[in-house]
Amino acid sequence: GAFIAKGPEDILDYQTEITICCISAMMLVGGGNALNDYNDRKSDKENHPERPIPSGNISADAALNYSYTLIGVGLTILFLAPNKIDKLANLAIKVGLGFQKGQNLIITAPIESLPLVRKITEHAYKEGAGIVTSFFSDPDLTLSRFKYANDESFNVATDWLYEGMGSAFDNNTARLAIAGDDPMLLAAMDPDKVSRANKANAIAYKPARERITRFDINWNIVSWPGKAWAKRVFPNISDEKAVFNLAEAIFEASRVSVNDPIKNWKDHNDSLKIRTNWLNNNNFKYLKYTGPGTDLKIGLADDHEWMGGASVAQNGIICNPNIPSEEVFTTPHACKVEGHVCSTKPLSYQG
């Protein structure tokens, strides 16, 4: 249908929409087939006993639940997801980056997030981007290195790539990262190799990292519901439902489920500004934390400043580095911390 409507050339402009529609169609067809088998279970017992329900390979209730899940997810993806992906992409460019006409853009992203990258690229060019360059990561490629690469491979990193990024940032290129990788991807790999690879990468990344941490350029991070990540969060449901649930959580937290995300973020930034102003006006000397197993006093640095939400980068562009973000933050004093703290949730300590 898309081929007939748009022709062989223009159809390429709608790859994301076509992909989403195809995924939705597969789920709707699968759900419809399962529902049909459920409704025909009594006649199939007589005429087709080899089919899944009458043969006992799957229960009737499980087939019904499976059909409802596929149909529900298929309809939701068809009617909601494309619009929300587009809203998130538009938000990342206009609010996250505060993207300016003539800027170039570097995107780093997991390969699964290609639908979002395409939409971000589209909105960047609509805002007058010069060149948009994307770099993708793939879990299978990463694991291939840790399984089969020469041992010396883990002592080096692509310094040439990060030097190039640093040079791009010196020329006012904006930076956008999409988070969505499996947080436990390397859990079963050799910890020595992981440690050495991380160290080498940290050293090589310095030219790019310095310019980001100095806030030389406008940068932003948004999230994508990768399947492996989704299954870590929702381990007891199907892959499709897990991805759908994580997507909805990301859309909600990123404030793209509302009619006007850009206005919503303006109001949100105004609210965060009220809080940072209040904290800065009070000029507290320390923070006190108490709770189950926790009694901690953290002194604040001299002349500290509370920040949060939209900030002005060194290139003069107002951006929101993190979407979503609910935090206000400041600088603690390394020598003025007393007490003890207990983590009540899984804790990442020193990376």
Side-chain angles (χ1 to χ4, degrees):
F3 183 85
I4 294 173
K6 301 302 297 183
E9 295 180 2
D10 291 343
I11 193 174
L12 296 177
D13 295 332
Y14 296 88
Q15 293 180 70
T16 300
E17 289 84 353
I18 292 169
T19 299
I20 290 171
C21 287
C22 287
I23 293 172
S24 175
M26 287 188 291
M27 290 186 174
L28 291 173
V29 170
N33 288 341
L35 187 59
N36 183 67
D37 282 357
Y38 174 82
N39 290 329
D40 291 345
R41 66 191 186 280
K42 292 181 180 179
S43 62
D44 283 346
K45 190 173 183 179
E46 297 280 338
N47 302 318
H48 299 284
E50 76 283 356
R51 287 183 174 175
I53 296 177
S55 68
N57 288 331
I58 186 173
S59 69
D61 288 342
L64 184 62
N65 290 333
Y66 183 69
S67 69
Y68 285 161
T69 298
L70 284 179
I71 292 172
V73 174
L75 289 173
T76 302
I77 290 175
L78 183 62
F79 291 112
L80 297 182
N83 185 40
K84 290 182 181 179
I85 291 172
D86 186 70
K87 282 184 175 181
L88 181 58
N90 186 46
L91 184 73
I93 290 296
K94 292 182 179 178
V95 176
L97 289 175
F99 197 77
Q100 301 296 301
K101 183 178 181 179
Q103 275 196 298
N104 293 331
L105 174 61
I106 290 176
I107 303 173
T108 58
I111 193 69
E112 284 184 277
S113 67
L114 185 56
L116 177 59
V117 174
R118 285 173 172 160
K119 280 297 182 182
I120 288 173
T121 301
E122 175 186 319
H123 284 286
Y125 281 124
K126 286 180 178 179
E127 290 298 304
I131 297 176
V132 179
T133 304
S134 300
F135 297 92
F136 292 96
S137 62
D138 177 80
D140 290 335
L141 299 182
T142 300
L143 289 176
S144 290
R145 180 190 182 196
F146 282 89
K147 290 177 180 178
Y148 309 118
N150 184 288
D151 188 69
E152 290 300 313
S153 164
F154 302 98
N155 296 325
V156 295
T158 51
D159 50 2
W160 54 269
L161 175 63
Y162 299 131
E163 288 169 2
M165 285 186 176
S167 177
F169 296 155
D170 286 340
N171 286 281
N172 201 38
T173 294
R175 165 84 162 94
L176 194 147
I178 298 176
D181 292 314
D182 180 1
M184 300 297 290
L185 178 65
L186 302 178
M189 297 297 104
D190 183 345
D192 178 65
K193 290 180 179 180
V194 174
S195 176
R196 285 188 287 135
N198 286 341
K199 180 179 179 180
N201 193 70
I203 294 171
Y205 190 51
K206 185 177 179 181
R209 183 180 61 249
E210 284 183 337
R211 289 155 176 83
I212 293 172
T213 54
R214 290 199 308 252
F215 212 3
D216 288 355
I217 45 95
N218 47 322
W219 60 271
N220 171 247
I221 301 175
V222 295
S223 295
W224 175 263
K227 184 174 74 172
W229 179 23
K231 288 297 289 183
R232 301 286 180 189
V233 181
F234 303 103
N236 300 319
I237 57 179
S238 68
D239 292 355
E240 294 82 6
K241 185 64 174 175
V243 170
F244 170 75
N245 284 358
L246 183 58
E248 286 300 291
I250 290 172
F251 293 146
E252 186 70 24
S254 300
R255 299 170 180 267
V256 297
S257 296
V258 300
N259 290 331
D260 190 346
I262 292 177
K263 182 181 182 303
N264 191 286
W265 267 91
K266 180 184 181 304
D267 295 340
H268 182 49
N269 280 323
D270 289 344
S271 178
L272 292 175
K273 189 65 176 177
I274 291 172
R275 287 162 171 76
T276 56
N277 286 342
W278 182 83
L279 290 163
N280 285 324
N281 289 336
N282 279 278
N283 193 29
F284 295 114
K285 295 185 180 299
Y286 65 88
L287 303 176
K288 178 73 172 180
Y289 295 89
T290 58
T294 296
D295 186 3
L296 186 67
K297 180 179 178 180
I298 300 179
L300 301 180
D302 297 337
D303 300 321
H304 67 275
E305 180 182 3
W306 287 91
M307 302 177 68
S311 301
V312 182
Q314 296 297 321
N315 61 0
I317 297 174
I318 299 174
C319 63
N320 280 264
N322 296 298
I323 291 180
S325 177
E326 303 293 330
E327 68 176 345
V328 294
F329 58 92
T330 193
T331 308
H333 196 299
C335 300
K336 296 181 180 179
V337 179
E338 301 175 3
H340 52 273
V341 62
C342 177
S343 177
T344 58
K345 292 187 177 181
L347 176 67
S348 176
Y349 176 64
Q350 294 188 343

